[in-house]
Amino acid sequence: MEGGRLAGEGLGGRETPVTLAKGLIERIGETGGDAADHTAALRQVMESIDLSDLDAIGHRVVHGGSVFSAATVIDDDVVATIEGLVPLAPLHNPAALSGIAVARKLLPDVPQVAVFDTAFHLTIAPEGVTYAIDAELAAAWQIRRYGFHGTSHAYVARKTAALLGRPAKETNVITLHLGNGASACAVQGGRSVATSMGMSPLSGLVMGTRSGDLDPTVIFHLHRVAGLPIEEIERSLTRSAGLQGLTGANDMREIQRRREQGDPAATLAFAVYSRRIREYVGSYLALLGHAHAITFTAGVGENSPSIRAESLHGMSALGIEIDESRNTRGDRLISPDAARVKVCVIPTDEELEIAEETRKALVS
Ligand code: AMP
């Protein structure tokens, strides 16, 4: 659950929300975690911030299926619909539902809004979300690309347009959210037209512990030939793959340190990670026809000059270049002034965007 508190004069009163407090409660319900359950976790939040001026609560919900194309005020029907989507996101939606149930119980008079990671991507055309599998099976089991990290991609695409001094509606951006989870998105005039995550957050880029794209035959092979149960294959591809699988470490800082010392596994992992980004950038340039900017965000994207440089290396014929001193200095704009495609680094702020989406849902 994310608590989005809007500053100042109440709903609609202020254009730019300000963050008043930030916090994290981790490993809820686990031994040694911060809280025994979601009720205890929310009580901790309520004790640590001033709730007297609270206008609304925004909940991050990972999977909104094909149903929710925007942030939605929560009522019993909305809760039931999110419950119906649990089979699509068995690892993520139940936690959001616990947060919603507890917040509604403890703060029954405060409006609650669900903000979906998938909603931003419902603008992608059918050919961008349809898997070429048996159409009846796909329809019966809601199998299609949904895409995730929508709040982050929407936020940084808008911030990129602002940085470039362009109207968002006339700006094409390739956004690269490179955190522990990672995804790429092609944003055309403020709308998502392609994204790398699929039916689940497992596909696309290489991540901290997730594989990203692979041939589905890998799964059949691990099951039939290696004899692994399906649950173990799922665990391996989500928890023990990506950087973790390639090197035993899921933190890009550690990979970079080992690579500098000449470690072959870390060197390969760094190259696999950057190459996958490069392949998506190339494919999204082709889809968009023209990109005004490529924007890096999240833990790795905001903090790793070497991943940024390696991912976009050798693309000057496409108008893409990085100015090395701007890149290492931590500038927002890291391409040379004359570059056709601007390269930007924009810190994401998913909580702020959730607060903003919550405000919009309540005033609309
Ligand atoms: P996030 O999910 O956005 O919080 O990103 C977390 C990840 O960002 C970590 O697992 C690290 O791999 C990566 N990260 C954070 N700081 C740095 C850094 N200075 N250099 C490289 N990677 C970093």
Side-chain angles (χ1 to χ4, degrees):
M1 195 216 68
E2 321 268 351
R5 182 166 174 227
L6 305 175
E9 305 118 77
L11 288 178
R14 194 196 268 237
E15 275 307 300
T16 318
V18 176
T19 303
L20 298 177
K22 234 180 194 321
L24 197 61
I25 298 182
E26 291 185 299
R27 301 174 59 210
I28 295 169
E30 291 179 29
T31 334
D34 294 337
D37 56 28
H38 283 86
T39 309
L42 195 65
R43 280 196 203 281
Q44 275 187 43
V45 174
M46 290 166 65
E47 278 158 21
S48 59
I49 58 175
D50 170 22
L51 296 174
S52 56
D53 192 24
L54 190 68
D55 292 310
I57 296 180
H59 295 266
R60 178 188 190 178
V61 181
V62 167
H63 219 306
S66 312
V67 187
F68 295 106
S69 58
T72 304
V73 179
I74 295 172
D75 58 19
D76 291 345
D77 287 347
V78 169
V79 168
T81 308
I82 296 171
E83 275 166 1
L85 294 167
V86 164
L88 282 175
L91 305 176
H92 293 103
N93 273 20
L97 283 164
S98 307
I100 290 169
V102 172
R104 290 181 88 200
K105 192 174 76 194
L106 297 183
L107 295 161
D109 299 326
V110 178
Q112 319 254 337
V113 173
V115 182
F116 300 93
D117 261 23
T118 46
F120 182 56
H121 302 299
L122 280 186
T123 50
I124 301 176
E127 62 269 28
V129 296
T130 303
Y131 294 128
I133 62 169
D134 182 315
E136 284 179 19
L137 270 183
W141 298 100
Q142 298 170 275
I143 297 169
R144 47 164 282 182
R145 182 190 304 279
Y146 293 98
F148 299 88
H149 289 146
T151 47
S152 178
H153 289 298
Y155 175 82
V156 298
R158 212 171 57 238
K159 289 277 168 187
T160 301
L163 180 70
L164 269 45
R166 298 182 54 87
K169 283 198 158 32
E170 292 164 27
T171 306
N172 295 348
V173 190
I174 297 172
T175 48
L176 299 166
H177 178 111
L178 311 177
N180 201 21
S183 68
C185 184
V187 184
Q188 187 167 44
R191 292 156 64 91
S192 171
V193 296
T195 194
S196 60
M197 283 178 167
M199 177 174 165
S200 81
L202 189 51
S203 74
L205 302 177
V206 176
M207 311 183 207
T209 64
R210 288 178 232 149
S211 62
D213 291 338
L214 44 77
D215 181 340
T217 297
V218 171
I219 297 164
F220 315 142
H221 188 83
L222 285 173
H223 185 59
R224 202 183 303 121
V225 182
L228 297 187
I230 201 75
E231 293 77 15
E232 174 55 21
I233 299 172
E234 182 174 34
R235 195 208 59 77
S236 177
L237 296 181
T238 51
R239 294 275 190 70
S240 310
L243 297 174
Q244 175 75 34
L246 292 172
T247 67
N250 70 356
D251 193 315
M252 184 55 82
R253 285 164 288 203
E254 175 66 15
I255 315 274
Q256 289 174 176
R257 199 181 55 74
R258 292 188 198 171
R259 174 175 177 258
E260 277 154 30
Q261 293 165 350
D263 178 89
T267 304
L268 178 63
F270 185 93
V272 172
Y273 186 99
S274 318
R275 178 183 164 124
R276 187 78 53 85
I277 296 169
R278 180 196 297 260
E279 289 177 348
Y280 270 96
V281 168
S283 119
Y284 289 174
L285 280 174
L287 270 178
L288 289 169
H290 171 60
H292 298 98
I294 298 171
T295 296
F296 289 89
T297 192
V300 178
E302 290 165 29
N303 297 302
S304 176
S306 55
I307 283 291
R308 295 193 295 257
E310 183 61 23
S311 306
L312 301 185
H313 178 72
M315 293 191 180
S316 54
L318 297 169
I320 300 166
E321 277 176 77
I322 286 185
D323 178 299
E324 198 41 43
S325 63
R326 289 180 177 179
N327 186 30
T328 46
R329 203 163 58 203
D331 285 8
R332 291 274 181 276
L333 186 68
I334 60 169
S335 47
D337 289 337
R340 252 190 355 261
V341 181
K342 308 297 178 206
V343 182
C344 309
V345 180
I346 311 260
T348 194
D349 195 334
E350 292 179 276
E351 288 84 358
L352 194 63
E353 181 71 3
I354 287 167
E356 184 57 21
E357 289 286 317
T358 298
R359 186 186 69 78
K360 279 201 283 187
L362 285 167
V363 296
S364 68

